[in-house]
Amino acid sequence: MSDTTLRLPRPSLYPERRVPRETPMDFRARSLLSLAAPLGGSRTRALRRIVRLTNAAALPPTVTDDALRTRAADLSLRLRAGPWPPAPALVAESFALVREASARVTGMRHFDVQVMGAAALVRGMVAEMQTGEGKTLTATLAAITAGLAGVPVHLVTSNDYLAARDAEEMGPLYRFFGLTVGAVVEGVKPEERRRAYAADITYCCNKEAAFDYLKDRIHLRERADNLHLRVESLVTDRPRLPLLLHRGLPFAIVDEADSVLIDEARIPLIISRSVPPSPEAEETYRRALHLAQGMQEGRHFKHQKALNRVDLTEDGRSDLAEAVRDWDGSWRVPVIREDLVRKALTALLTLHRGEDYLVREDKIEIVDEYTGRRMPDRSWSEGLHQFVELKEGVPLSSARETLARMTYQRFFRRYRWLSGMTGTARSVTAELQATYGLKVATIPTNRTPQRRIRPARIFADAAARWQAVAQRAAEIHATGAPILIGTRSVEASERAADAMRALGLGFTVLNAEQDAEEASIIARAGQMGAITVATNMAGRGTDIKLGEGVAAMGGLHVLMTERHDSARIDRQLAGRCARQGQPGQVETLLSMQDDLLTQLSTWSPAKLARLGGRARFFDAAQRAIERRHAAMRRELMRVDSQMGDMLAFTGTQE
Amino acid sequence: MDPSFLSPTWYRVADLQPRLKSHAQIHRMKYRGQTWHVLQDHQSGQFFRVSPAANLMICLMDGRRSVNWLWLHACETYPDDPPTQDETIRLLALLHQADLMHTDLDPDLGELERRSQRNETRAIMSRLRNPLALRFPLFDPDKFLDATFPLLRWLFTPFGMLLWLCLVGSGATLAVMNADVLTADLADRILATQNLLLLALTYPAVKAVHELGHGYATKAAGGEVHEMGIMFLVLMPIPYVDASAASAFASKWQRMLVGSAGILVELALASGAMIFWLYAEPGIARAVAFNVMLIGGVSTLLFNGNPLLRFDGYYVFSDLLEIPNLGPRSNKYLGYLVQSRLFGLRSAQTPVTQRGERGWFAFYAIASFVYRIGITITIALFIASKFFIVGILLALMALANMFVWPVLKGLKFVLTNKALKERRGRAIAWTVVLAALPIGFVTAVPLPYATVVQGVVLPPQVAVVRTEAEGFLTAIAEDRDLRATQPLVALSDPMLGTQEAILTAQLDEMRQRLGAAVVLDQVAAQALRAQIAHLEGALALERRRVATLDVVAPRDGVFLTNIADRHIGRLVPKGSEVGYLVQPGELVVRAVVPQTRIDLVRQRPGAVALRYGSAPAALHHARPLREATESRELPHPALSAAGGGTLQIDPTDPDRRRLLLPAFQIDLAVIDPPKGQRIGETVWVRFDHGTEPLARRFYRAVRQVFLSQFDV
């Protein structure tokens, strides 16, 4: 922040929204009410008004940069004097300033639809903007307005790369107004994190922000209110405030809101610490393994190979009880001892070295069942991992002990103001309303999209599909148009690569999460003659810029090789082409052996293949999985609220 | 480990060091030979059974031991039934809710406030949810009871018991002896407006004494009573006493004494009132006594003392059986049977914890359900007879509570319960079967359908035999087959003979005078001739009267008469009915069909069957003679309620011949008449309508009710 600007003391040391603890009854009532959310219409009238006001407040290009800054400082004072969100007139004034500055600094002037989207953000809504409408730029309007109003902003992205990229790209614009920008990505040290969070505008990935908050909660477990923190920093020699990473949860603009707020909210966040195994625990594991080795299949236990499952028989139980008769401690509890022995048996019988795991440098490395890749950071459940280590004679690894646990739903609801952007919010309107109280505003497109979507082709088996994908790629490649082949998994990428290698095509593969280098590959994916194979990770947020002359050839071709669990992810992938009024084509090539069908059906893939191609199976399967996921999220919320209610006596919710 | 054994949220409680607050109480109880530990929540007045392992954990909470330690210790001590982590968390939550536990955490004032607010909201909510039984605590009667109890201590001795037995015994005996006087016109007496008012005043008074009974019994057993107030049960203010301290008594006899104190008091009151009522003069005091008997006797037997409803009797009963929570667990047991036996759900949890409970559960669940439905429908109909809409609403509410909600809950369970996941198909199939059976039976299975009414044997109009002259009865014919002109009834009139003799003599005299005068005086002769003609006419008349004194059969037939030999010598006025002369098959049966059924009888004519009151075993057949006609005239006194029949007579009709409700009369010719059927004999007439499922009949009945009540 420049020296001329006024910096006020923070009224609240750790502002966040106090979400009232809700009973299961409240939860049910809210879910019911939210069903009416999609009926609310697109709520764009108020937003259009802000667009009109912004256009009216447009500044002539003759105004000098310094004059812009002076105006901004003046506006900042007025914004700070009022509440957040500010009055439409102030918002429009701010937007007009930012628009003009952006044109000078980045060369991009916000379109009207972007102004409209930003107005939705300021009002705490989810702006549904078509893919390729420039959400990154849209966010700057709202972020700078908040920054000028003294409200710290978290721009939450779905991955680290996007956080770093956007912070980098938009940094100059923020700095033009004297606002500081920080980015929090994986690997950043706590000191830097603290600094980044202290900036006026912080770009961060949802995971980092949530985990950092959870770490703060461990410190703040009891007595987190403002007064306590203030007094504490005066009277104690070890105040907790400097330990905290965040400075509260004021205003969040969540990019790819459906992915971050909905899709990823299925799994709770857990912070755990490692606890080195105690000698007693090791002795217990050793004894259990020894007991398991002495058991006979059939008499003491049954091994169902197909299910990878071991169950003790009645004889097994009674013999085990007999064997441990004189031992004390947890051995006396049948549930515990039988579980120990069963896990030992599982480790002995169902997990094989070389297939399920490798032993490297005295460590067990799990091999992923589907991809065949090593997963050095993964471990089996408590106990099972230790038994495999004992079996292989390597030192026991540490057990994990939960320190804090939180759901994304709870985290995002703690922001005092929450807003979001996404290309695909339609199908989750009700859930956004129910869970976060977010309303969805549908923003029109700037130019008519020119995306051509060809009907899906469906093949009986996967092999035929990959062949067709390669052939199609060859045909398109012959015209010179760039091709993006979207796959569902790393394994699928490799099969696509094999098929194309067979036809002698040159291509680039992008697997796993993006880093900066891979991002540059993506950026080149729009060049003439480029063929890029990428997992759906590449789907979101990336802007593939078309090379020269490509638009004339029909733009980027997207070949979708599978349908994803959610139709929204499919739409995101399709949204990589035909951005901002450019042409583009989408083709889908499916097979009846795709995961989408096999994971739902009890039929064998071979049997499914005999059904022949039926497009409606895919739609039905996708809907079924979406329903299943929605049910999982509801269940998580329900259990969370129920436990929160029951565990009220522990004082905290994490 | 079995995932349900551990909890992902365990880390939040594992290191807590809870300490039990000093006022926490765990009561040790014996139920059917088992030891139960019962935790008392003073906040909500509820009691919770805690497992032995939970009891151990609670007892070891000293503020130093961590929850994790307590849990492990409990697992090791009770290896066969170790508490799961979730159970332990629930136990802690329960202790916290009941404000029985400190933790090492500083008290969170915000949380305390939220909790007290929530308790308040919950109290308000529970009132709103049950507006028919609002409770308003008023004062703490403990000191009052303590002060007055010494005066009544003698009641809780063997002597007091004996006294009670004598009183109630004599009351009951007197009630049985005077049953007919007591029950005559019961409904009229109870529902008379003045009495309703009196009842409304007496009821709270009786209940106040009843509640004091609970209070003193609690005192007698050494408990405390800290709440007394007014409860609005269906808007009727009734005092109540919180005797929940009794639940903590170790002896079941003490618990039963407290539970039954109210019943004992009411029965004693009713007996006293019985004695008073018998010996008192009619007046307000006697009316009050009658109501006290009604409340103390009838309401105790039907409601309060009846174990099948959840009132005092229920608690006494479940204490007697040593099965706490009998009602809810019985219902659970039925649910468990369905889940485990029909759905094959192995994870279904049985509520049976002790031997001998199974049978009681099955019995109680069904018996109480049936009784509840019966009593509710009866009450609803009783009220509907006075206040139609209120009664119907009550009936609908009762139906919703007893059928609709349980069915919906069951459906929800079948359709969404996770445990049923793999057996949902089977569960749904069984549900469909179970639902289809009664529904199918009611809607699809045609059942015999008929209208049964009373009728009476009547002669046709032509058969009436009347006297044509006045006379004294001298003889009657036997009621056997007679030919035409055979005498039926012989009358005599001694005056008739005398008159004839006088007339004959006068006629003779005139004729002789005429013989003498005819040549002498033509004028006198003319006058005599006129006199003779007059006398001849008079004589002819006299002779005809003599001739018609005897009634002869106008045709062949059977003479039916009510006149017997003992009537001989009586004066019979001219034109009286002396009997009927009927030919075989000529007797008709007149049936009276109420308006509600006439449509059926007309629209769906079928076989008509008869059973005579004198010989109900034999079945006879009949056919309608003509269309039914509407008439409110009672065809024969034998059909009226007073005459032993079923028809109600309009009490405002001075002749007692007008029917209360509109009805239709239909004459039936008996195809195979029995021998010796008597005029005025009552007959059960059955109009057959073929077969029809119950649902259609129900629809028709409801339709008619609405037609008559709302004209829709």
Side-chain angles (χ1 to χ4, degrees), chain A residues 332 334 339 343 405 645 652, chain B residues 1 9 11-12 75 79 118:
Chain A
R332 293 175 49 195
D339 178 70
K343 275 197 180 127
R405 191 172 183 275
D645 198 39
T652 62
Chain B
M1 193 149 316
T9 44
Y11 72 95
R12 284 173 63 182
C75 284
R118 194 158 52 177

Side-chain angles (χ1 to χ4, degrees), chain A residues 21 222-223 329-330 332-335 339 343 402-405 635 643 645-647 649-650 652-654, chain B residues 1-2 5 8-9 11-13 16 75-76 79-80 82 89-90 92-93 96 105-106 111 114 118 418:
Chain A
R21 199 173 270 139
E222 299 148 47
R223 286 167 300 171
S330 51
R332 293 175 49 195
V333 185
V335 185
D339 178 70
K343 275 197 180 127
T402 307
L403 287 176
R405 191 172 183 275
E635 180 66 11
M643 286 314 284
D645 198 39
M646 199 187 280
L647 285 169
F649 62 90
T650 61
T652 62
Q653 290 188 43
E654 277 75 44
Chain B
M1 193 149 316
D2 185 358
F5 193 65
T9 44
Y11 72 95
R12 284 173 63 182
V13 299
L16 288 182
C75 284
E76 287 166 22
D80 296 321
I89 291 174
R90 269 200 293 275
L92 292 171
H96 173 73
L105 297 169
D106 292 337
E111 148 65 16
R114 267 199 302 279
R118 194 158 52 177
K418 291 218 175 59

Side-chain angles (χ1 to χ4, degrees), chain A residues 297-339:
Chain A
E297 184 164 355
R299 194 165 101 84
H300 291 118
F301 62 89
K302 280 192 202 136
H303 178 198
Q304 293 171 275
K305 291 201 175 60
L307 295 170
N308 262 354
R309 194 188 154 106
V310 180
D311 285 306
L312 290 183
T313 61
E314 273 310 312
D315 278 358
R317 286 174 215 275
S318 56
D319 284 11
L320 176 62
E322 186 58 30
V324 303
R325 202 164 39 127
D326 300 328
W327 302 357
D328 50 1
S330 51
W331 287 108
R332 293 175 49 195
V333 185
V335 185
I336 299 178
R337 65 170 178 247
E338 282 160 20
D339 178 70

Side-chain angles (χ1 to χ4, degrees), chain A residues 343 366 379-386, chain B residues 1:
Chain A
K343 275 197 180 127
I366 296 178
S379 64
W380 285 298
S381 67
E382 176 84 48
L384 190 54
H385 204 78
Q386 280 76 6
Chain B
M1 193 149 316

Side-chain angles (χ1 to χ4, degrees), chain B residues 445-498:
Chain B
V445 177
L447 292 175
Y449 192 27
T451 299
V452 178
V453 296
Q454 264 193 341
V456 64
V457 178
L458 289 179
Q461 280 303 315
V462 291
V464 182
V465 178
R466 295 176 192 278
T467 52
E468 286 173 43
E470 193 180 61
F472 295 94
L473 191 66
T474 51
I476 40 169
E478 300 287 313
D479 50 347
R480 57 190 155 77
D481 290 349
L482 296 169
R483 306 256 145 237
T485 71
Q486 279 185 296
L488 300 175
V489 177
L491 299 178
S492 70
D493 190 346
M495 288 292 285
L496 274 183
T498 319

